[in-house]
Amino acid sequence: MRTYYVFQSGATPGLRGFADEPRENILPAEYGPWVLAQQIEPDEEWTLDVSRAVVAAGIIENGYYLDGPLKEAAPRPVIESHRVEGTAVYDSNNNQIGTIKRLIIEKVSGRVLYVDVTFGGFLGMGVRHHTIPWGMLTYDRELEGYRTGITEDQLRAAPVFETEHRSWLDRRREREMQDYWQGFP
């Protein structure tokens, strides 16, 4: 775990910048001046309305993470997990084969490794959860969803992620999932 520094933008109300160093010059100057508003120690409870994992992923990717209204797109855009959850997944023929339920993030690196994709069911009954490696999805702006070369049949045959509201993340099940997806492009 690391210490996080939360800065407020002086130019854009509601915009916060996160960094793992107490220097405001890490953050984009066009949204400054930046004022240090909070320091969060590794053992301190995270009470902010943005996920610590999302902030960590942004910092790893960009060196900082921005949360709030932006005048324009960030130079290396990131997305918050709640905007990915609920997004449709389409096959190569534009048929919806599922919906992203949640992201599965590696604790140490903060990288998204897999997505839990749901399909089937009615009114919450009979919904099935399967995993897809994050790298097998690409965002399609026209569809406003994620596209994959995976077919619905291949998704149905994938290892189950969740049953009876209990998810698994043990090494044996993860290896089973890796072995299944290894042969796919």
Side-chain angles (χ1 to χ4, degrees):
M1 293 274 258
R2 62 180 79 179
T3 299
Y4 292 93
Y5 300 90
V6 184
F7 296 86
Q8 287 296 141
S9 168
T12 307
L15 180 62
R16 295 182 295 186
F18 294 80
D20 58 359
E21 296 181 38
R23 299 180 299 121
E24 64 274 3
N25 64 350
I26 293 172
L27 301 165
E30 63 267 28
Y31 299 110
W34 293 97
V35 177
L36 182 61
Q38 186 178 2
Q39 179 176 326
I40 304 169
E41 297 297 330
D43 56 345
E44 214 174 318
E45 182 180 355
W46 188 269
T47 59
L48 301 174
D49 59 350
V50 61
S51 164
R52 183 188 295 245
V54 170
V55 169
I59 290 172
I60 290 167
E61 180 70 24
N62 301 311
Y64 61 87
Y65 176 78
L66 299 179
D67 179 55
L70 295 174
K71 296 176 198 169
E72 57 189 62
R76 295 176 71 194
V78 296
I79 189 166
E80 295 178 8
S81 62
H82 75 275
R83 297 198 57 204
V84 175
E85 294 162 358
T87 305
V89 177
Y90 297 91
D91 66 13
S92 57
N93 296 318
N94 295 346
N95 298 313
Q96 185 174 345
I97 62 171
T99 303
I100 295 175
K101 173 71 174 172
R102 67 180 62 104
L103 304 177
I104 302 168
I105 301 168
E106 184 179 49
K107 282 183 184 180
V108 176
S109 71
R111 289 185 1 217
V112 175
L113 298 180
Y114 305 101
V115 292
D116 171 17
V117 177
T118 60
F119 62 92
F122 180 71
L123 297 175
M125 302 296 290
V127 174
R128 298 184 53 169
H129 295 254
H130 292 275
T131 53
I132 295 177
W134 178 245
M136 296 181 86
L137 299 173
T138 55
Y139 189 74
D140 186 309
R141 290 178 188 214
E142 288 182 24
L143 290 174
E144 294 184 354
Y146 288 87
R147 181 183 298 282
T148 184
I150 299 166
T151 67
E152 186 171 352
D153 289 339
Q154 291 166 332
L155 178 59
R156 287 180 185 275
V160 175
F161 175 75
E162 182 178 281
T163 57
E164 300 297 321
H165 304 290
R166 294 177 60 202
S167 63
W168 56 265
L169 291 174
D170 65 38
R171 291 189 186 277
R172 181 185 65 79
R173 297 296 298 261
E174 184 176 2
R175 186 72 193 147
E176 177 185 332
M177 186 174 48
Q178 289 171 346
D179 289 346
Y180 179 80
W181 289 115
Q182 187 173 15
F184 292 89

PDB file of all heavy atoms in Angstrom, residues 48-72:
ATOM      1  N   LEU A  48     -13.349   7.989   0.334  1.00  0.00           N
ATOM      2  CA  LEU A  48     -13.680   8.785  -0.850  1.00  0.00           C
ATOM      3  C   LEU A  48     -14.683   8.056  -1.734  1.00  0.00           C
ATOM      4  O   LEU A  48     -14.828   6.837  -1.663  1.00  0.00           O
ATOM      5  CB  LEU A  48     -12.401   9.099  -1.632  1.00  0.00           C
ATOM      6  CG  LEU A  48     -11.350   9.877  -0.840  1.00  0.00           C
ATOM      7  CD1 LEU A  48     -10.079  10.005  -1.641  1.00  0.00           C
ATOM      8  CD2 LEU A  48     -11.879  11.242  -0.450  1.00  0.00           C
ATOM      9  N   ASP A  49     -15.356   8.801  -2.601  1.00  0.00           N
ATOM     10  CA  ASP A  49     -16.387   8.236  -3.473  1.00  0.00           C
ATOM     11  C   ASP A  49     -15.827   7.653  -4.773  1.00  0.00           C
ATOM     12  O   ASP A  49     -16.584   7.383  -5.698  1.00  0.00           O
ATOM     13  CB  ASP A  49     -17.454   9.287  -3.782  1.00  0.00           C
ATOM     14  CG  ASP A  49     -16.864  10.517  -4.457  1.00  0.00           C
ATOM     15  OD1 ASP A  49     -15.623  10.647  -4.522  1.00  0.00           O
ATOM     16  OD2 ASP A  49     -17.640  11.353  -4.925  1.00  0.00           O
ATOM     17  N   VAL A  50     -14.545   7.456  -4.846  1.00  0.00           N
ATOM     18  CA  VAL A  50     -13.902   6.813  -5.976  1.00  0.00           C
ATOM     19  C   VAL A  50     -13.070   5.662  -5.408  1.00  0.00           C
ATOM     20  O   VAL A  50     -12.490   5.776  -4.331  1.00  0.00           O
ATOM     21  CB  VAL A  50     -13.042   7.821  -6.792  1.00  0.00           C
ATOM     22  CG1 VAL A  50     -11.945   8.414  -5.946  1.00  0.00           C
ATOM     23  CG2 VAL A  50     -12.469   7.177  -8.036  1.00  0.00           C
ATOM     24  N   SER A  51     -13.038   4.552  -6.121  1.00  0.00           N
ATOM     25  CA  SER A  51     -12.348   3.355  -5.649  1.00  0.00           C
ATOM     26  C   SER A  51     -10.837   3.565  -5.547  1.00  0.00           C
ATOM     27  O   SER A  51     -10.213   4.150  -6.431  1.00  0.00           O
ATOM     28  CB  SER A  51     -12.635   2.200  -6.607  1.00  0.00           C
ATOM     29  OG  SER A  51     -11.737   1.147  -6.433  1.00  0.00           O
ATOM     30  N   ARG A  52     -10.254   3.053  -4.473  1.00  0.00           N
ATOM     31  CA  ARG A  52      -8.795   3.106  -4.300  1.00  0.00           C
ATOM     32  C   ARG A  52      -8.105   2.365  -5.444  1.00  0.00           C
ATOM     33  O   ARG A  52      -7.083   2.814  -5.958  1.00  0.00           O
ATOM     34  CB  ARG A  52      -8.402   2.478  -2.969  1.00  0.00           C
ATOM     35  CG  ARG A  52      -6.904   2.565  -2.668  1.00  0.00           C
ATOM     36  CD  ARG A  52      -6.506   1.766  -1.443  1.00  0.00           C
ATOM     37  NE  ARG A  52      -7.073   2.272  -0.225  1.00  0.00           N
ATOM     38  CZ  ARG A  52      -6.373   2.783   0.783  1.00  0.00           C
ATOM     39  NH1 ARG A  52      -5.066   2.868   0.703  1.00  0.00           N
ATOM     40  NH2 ARG A  52      -6.971   3.198   1.865  1.00  0.00           N
ATOM     41  N   ALA A  53      -8.687   1.241  -5.894  1.00  0.00           N
ATOM     42  CA  ALA A  53      -8.090   0.465  -6.988  1.00  0.00           C
ATOM     43  C   ALA A  53      -8.099   1.253  -8.293  1.00  0.00           C
ATOM     44  O   ALA A  53      -7.140   1.209  -9.062  1.00  0.00           O
ATOM     45  CB  ALA A  53      -8.832  -0.859  -7.162  1.00  0.00           C
ATOM     46  N   VAL A  54      -9.167   1.994  -8.548  1.00  0.00           N
ATOM     47  CA  VAL A  54      -9.247   2.809  -9.758  1.00  0.00           C
ATOM     48  C   VAL A  54      -8.201   3.919  -9.705  1.00  0.00           C
ATOM     49  O   VAL A  54      -7.515   4.198 -10.689  1.00  0.00           O
ATOM     50  CB  VAL A  54     -10.671   3.382  -9.938  1.00  0.00           C
ATOM     51  CG1 VAL A  54     -10.715   4.427 -11.035  1.00  0.00           C
ATOM     52  CG2 VAL A  54     -11.655   2.261 -10.229  1.00  0.00           C
ATOM     53  N   VAL A  55      -8.067   4.568  -8.548  1.00  0.00           N
ATOM     54  CA  VAL A  55      -7.058   5.614  -8.379  1.00  0.00           C
ATOM     55  C   VAL A  55      -5.663   5.024  -8.591  1.00  0.00           C
ATOM     56  O   VAL A  55      -4.841   5.592  -9.316  1.00  0.00           O
ATOM     57  CB  VAL A  55      -7.181   6.282  -6.991  1.00  0.00           C
ATOM     58  CG1 VAL A  55      -5.980   7.174  -6.709  1.00  0.00           C
ATOM     59  CG2 VAL A  55      -8.481   7.072  -6.891  1.00  0.00           C
ATOM     60  N   ALA A  56      -5.406   3.867  -7.983  1.00  0.00           N
ATOM     61  CA  ALA A  56      -4.096   3.223  -8.126  1.00  0.00           C
ATOM     62  C   ALA A  56      -3.803   2.890  -9.584  1.00  0.00           C
ATOM     63  O   ALA A  56      -2.690   3.123 -10.069  1.00  0.00           O
ATOM     64  CB  ALA A  56      -4.029   1.964  -7.269  1.00  0.00           C
ATOM     65  N   ALA A  57      -4.800   2.370 -10.303  1.00  0.00           N
ATOM     66  CA  ALA A  57      -4.611   2.031 -11.719  1.00  0.00           C
ATOM     67  C   ALA A  57      -4.297   3.280 -12.533  1.00  0.00           C
ATOM     68  O   ALA A  57      -3.422   3.263 -13.402  1.00  0.00           O
ATOM     69  CB  ALA A  57      -5.846   1.339 -12.262  1.00  0.00           C
ATOM     70  N   GLY A  58      -4.991   4.374 -12.251  1.00  0.00           N
ATOM     71  CA  GLY A  58      -4.725   5.631 -12.957  1.00  0.00           C
ATOM     72  C   GLY A  58      -3.326   6.147 -12.699  1.00  0.00           C
ATOM     73  O   GLY A  58      -2.651   6.618 -13.613  1.00  0.00           O
ATOM     74  N   ILE A  59      -2.898   6.051 -11.451  1.00  0.00           N
ATOM     75  CA  ILE A  59      -1.544   6.511 -11.102  1.00  0.00           C
ATOM     76  C   ILE A  59      -0.495   5.641 -11.780  1.00  0.00           C
ATOM     77  O   ILE A  59       0.501   6.151 -12.310  1.00  0.00           O
ATOM     78  CB  ILE A  59      -1.363   6.549  -9.569  1.00  0.00           C
ATOM     79  CG1 ILE A  59      -2.213   7.679  -8.970  1.00  0.00           C
ATOM     80  CG2 ILE A  59       0.109   6.728  -9.196  1.00  0.00           C
ATOM     81  CD1 ILE A  59      -2.272   7.694  -7.459  1.00  0.00           C
ATOM     82  N   ILE A  60      -0.718   4.345 -11.807  1.00  0.00           N
ATOM     83  CA  ILE A  60       0.224   3.453 -12.478  1.00  0.00           C
ATOM     84  C   ILE A  60       0.293   3.771 -13.964  1.00  0.00           C
ATOM     85  O   ILE A  60       1.355   3.818 -14.561  1.00  0.00           O
ATOM     86  CB  ILE A  60      -0.162   1.975 -12.246  1.00  0.00           C
ATOM     87  CG1 ILE A  60       0.100   1.600 -10.787  1.00  0.00           C
ATOM     88  CG2 ILE A  60       0.576   1.049 -13.196  1.00  0.00           C
ATOM     89  CD1 ILE A  60      -0.508   0.293 -10.355  1.00  0.00           C
ATOM     90  N   GLU A  61      -0.859   4.015 -14.583  1.00  0.00           N
ATOM     91  CA  GLU A  61      -0.930   4.267 -16.019  1.00  0.00           C
ATOM     92  C   GLU A  61      -0.408   5.651 -16.400  1.00  0.00           C
ATOM     93  O   GLU A  61       0.322   5.807 -17.371  1.00  0.00           O
ATOM     94  CB  GLU A  61      -2.373   4.108 -16.496  1.00  0.00           C
ATOM     95  CG  GLU A  61      -2.586   4.348 -17.961  1.00  0.00           C
ATOM     96  CD  GLU A  61      -2.002   3.278 -18.855  1.00  0.00           C
ATOM     97  OE1 GLU A  61      -1.811   2.143 -18.409  1.00  0.00           O
ATOM     98  OE2 GLU A  61      -1.723   3.593 -20.018  1.00  0.00           O
ATOM     99  N   ASN A  62      -0.804   6.689 -15.644  1.00  0.00           N
ATOM    100  CA  ASN A  62      -0.519   8.072 -16.036  1.00  0.00           C
ATOM    101  C   ASN A  62       0.447   8.810 -15.127  1.00  0.00           C
ATOM    102  O   ASN A  62       0.880   9.903 -15.467  1.00  0.00           O
ATOM    103  CB  ASN A  62      -1.824   8.878 -16.052  1.00  0.00           C
ATOM    104  CG  ASN A  62      -2.832   8.307 -16.997  1.00  0.00           C
ATOM    105  OD1 ASN A  62      -2.518   8.035 -18.134  1.00  0.00           O
ATOM    106  ND2 ASN A  62      -4.047   8.119 -16.525  1.00  0.00           N
ATOM    107  N   GLY A  63       0.669   8.293 -13.923  1.00  0.00           N
ATOM    108  CA  GLY A  63       1.446   9.020 -12.938  1.00  0.00           C
ATOM    109  C   GLY A  63       0.550   9.841 -12.020  1.00  0.00           C
ATOM    110  O   GLY A  63       1.009  10.399 -11.030  1.00  0.00           O
ATOM    111  N   TYR A  64      -0.733   9.935 -12.366  1.00  0.00           N
ATOM    112  CA  TYR A  64      -1.736  10.640 -11.569  1.00  0.00           C
ATOM    113  C   TYR A  64      -3.115  10.129 -11.980  1.00  0.00           C
ATOM    114  O   TYR A  64      -3.248   9.403 -12.975  1.00  0.00           O
ATOM    115  CB  TYR A  64      -1.665  12.157 -11.800  1.00  0.00           C
ATOM    116  CG  TYR A  64      -1.924  12.544 -13.238  1.00  0.00           C
ATOM    117  CD1 TYR A  64      -3.216  12.760 -13.715  1.00  0.00           C
ATOM    118  CD2 TYR A  64      -0.871  12.689 -14.136  1.00  0.00           C
ATOM    119  CE1 TYR A  64      -3.450  13.091 -15.032  1.00  0.00           C
ATOM    120  CE2 TYR A  64      -1.097  13.019 -15.458  1.00  0.00           C
ATOM    121  CZ  TYR A  64      -2.396  13.214 -15.902  1.00  0.00           C
ATOM    122  OH  TYR A  64      -2.614  13.545 -17.209  1.00  0.00           O
ATOM    123  N   TYR A  65      -4.138  10.508 -11.225  1.00  0.00           N
ATOM    124  CA  TYR A  65      -5.516  10.175 -11.577  1.00  0.00           C
ATOM    125  C   TYR A  65      -6.368  11.420 -11.352  1.00  0.00           C
ATOM    126  O   TYR A  65      -6.220  12.103 -10.335  1.00  0.00           O
ATOM    127  CB  TYR A  65      -6.042   9.028 -10.706  1.00  0.00           C
ATOM    128  CG  TYR A  65      -7.497   8.710 -10.976  1.00  0.00           C
ATOM    129  CD1 TYR A  65      -7.854   7.982 -12.090  1.00  0.00           C
ATOM    130  CD2 TYR A  65      -8.489   9.167 -10.127  1.00  0.00           C
ATOM    131  CE1 TYR A  65      -9.184   7.703 -12.360  1.00  0.00           C
ATOM    132  CE2 TYR A  65      -9.824   8.892 -10.383  1.00  0.00           C
ATOM    133  CZ  TYR A  65     -10.165   8.155 -11.503  1.00  0.00           C
ATOM    134  OH  TYR A  65     -11.481   7.891 -11.770  1.00  0.00           O
ATOM    135  N   LEU A  66      -7.239  11.741 -12.325  1.00  0.00           N
ATOM    136  CA  LEU A  66      -8.147  12.878 -12.201  1.00  0.00           C
ATOM    137  C   LEU A  66      -9.567  12.380 -11.995  1.00  0.00           C
ATOM    138  O   LEU A  66     -10.001  11.438 -12.662  1.00  0.00           O
ATOM    139  CB  LEU A  66      -8.086  13.761 -13.455  1.00  0.00           C
ATOM    140  CG  LEU A  66      -6.741  14.387 -13.776  1.00  0.00           C
ATOM    141  CD1 LEU A  66      -6.834  15.217 -15.057  1.00  0.00           C
ATOM    142  CD2 LEU A  66      -6.239  15.251 -12.622  1.00  0.00           C
ATOM    143  N   ASP A  67     -10.302  13.039 -11.099  1.00  0.00           N
ATOM    144  CA  ASP A  67     -11.689  12.685 -10.816  1.00  0.00           C
ATOM    145  C   ASP A  67     -12.523  13.954 -10.776  1.00  0.00           C
ATOM    146  O   ASP A  67     -12.247  14.843  -9.975  1.00  0.00           O
ATOM    147  CB  ASP A  67     -11.781  11.958  -9.465  1.00  0.00           C
ATOM    148  CG  ASP A  67     -13.211  11.575  -9.115  1.00  0.00           C
ATOM    149  OD1 ASP A  67     -13.852  10.889  -9.928  1.00  0.00           O
ATOM    150  OD2 ASP A  67     -13.675  11.979  -8.031  1.00  0.00           O
ATOM    151  N   GLY A  68     -13.502  14.032 -11.653  1.00  0.00           N
ATOM    152  CA  GLY A  68     -14.375  15.201 -11.704  1.00  0.00           C
ATOM    153  C   GLY A  68     -14.480  15.732 -13.117  1.00  0.00           C
ATOM    154  O   GLY A  68     -14.006  15.112 -14.065  1.00  0.00           O
ATOM    155  N   PRO A  69     -15.115  16.904 -13.264  1.00  0.00           N
ATOM    156  CA  PRO A  69     -15.333  17.463 -14.608  1.00  0.00           C
ATOM    157  C   PRO A  69     -14.039  17.975 -15.240  1.00  0.00           C
ATOM    158  O   PRO A  69     -13.256  18.659 -14.593  1.00  0.00           O
ATOM    159  CB  PRO A  69     -16.301  18.618 -14.344  1.00  0.00           C
ATOM    160  CG  PRO A  69     -16.050  19.017 -12.926  1.00  0.00           C
ATOM    161  CD  PRO A  69     -15.656  17.757 -12.211  1.00  0.00           C
ATOM    162  N   LEU A  70     -13.849  17.609 -16.508  1.00  0.00           N
ATOM    163  CA  LEU A  70     -12.677  18.061 -17.255  1.00  0.00           C
ATOM    164  C   LEU A  70     -13.115  18.958 -18.398  1.00  0.00           C
ATOM    165  O   LEU A  70     -14.166  18.735 -19.004  1.00  0.00           O
ATOM    166  CB  LEU A  70     -11.905  16.864 -17.832  1.00  0.00           C
ATOM    167  CG  LEU A  70     -11.265  15.914 -16.832  1.00  0.00           C
ATOM    168  CD1 LEU A  70     -10.668  14.722 -17.552  1.00  0.00           C
ATOM    169  CD2 LEU A  70     -10.202  16.627 -16.028  1.00  0.00           C
ATOM    170  N   LYS A  71     -12.314  19.967 -18.710  1.00  0.00           N
ATOM    171  CA  LYS A  71     -12.597  20.848 -19.851  1.00  0.00           C
ATOM    172  C   LYS A  71     -12.486  20.066 -21.152  1.00  0.00           C
ATOM    173  O   LYS A  71     -13.186  20.314 -22.101  1.00  0.00           O
ATOM    174  CB  LYS A  71     -11.602  22.010 -19.870  1.00  0.00           C
ATOM    175  CG  LYS A  71     -11.693  22.930 -18.687  1.00  0.00           C
ATOM    176  CD  LYS A  71     -10.601  23.979 -18.776  1.00  0.00           C
ATOM    177  CE  LYS A  71     -10.372  24.632 -17.444  1.00  0.00           C
ATOM    178  NZ  LYS A  71      -9.167  25.445 -17.436  1.00  0.00           N
ATOM    179  N   GLU A  72     -11.578  19.123 -21.190  1.00  0.00           N
ATOM    180  CA  GLU A  72     -11.341  18.291 -22.366  1.00  0.00           C
ATOM    181  C   GLU A  72     -10.826  16.948 -21.882  1.00  0.00           C
ATOM    182  O   GLU A  72     -10.533  16.784 -20.709  1.00  0.00           O
ATOM    183  CB  GLU A  72     -10.324  18.948 -23.294  1.00  0.00           C
ATOM    184  CG  GLU A  72      -9.002  19.236 -22.592  1.00  0.00           C
ATOM    185  CD  GLU A  72      -8.069  20.067 -23.436  1.00  0.00           C
ATOM    186  OE1 GLU A  72      -8.410  21.196 -23.763  1.00  0.00           O
ATOM    187  OE2 GLU A  72      -7.001  19.547 -23.764  1.00  0.00           O
TER     188      GLU A  72
END
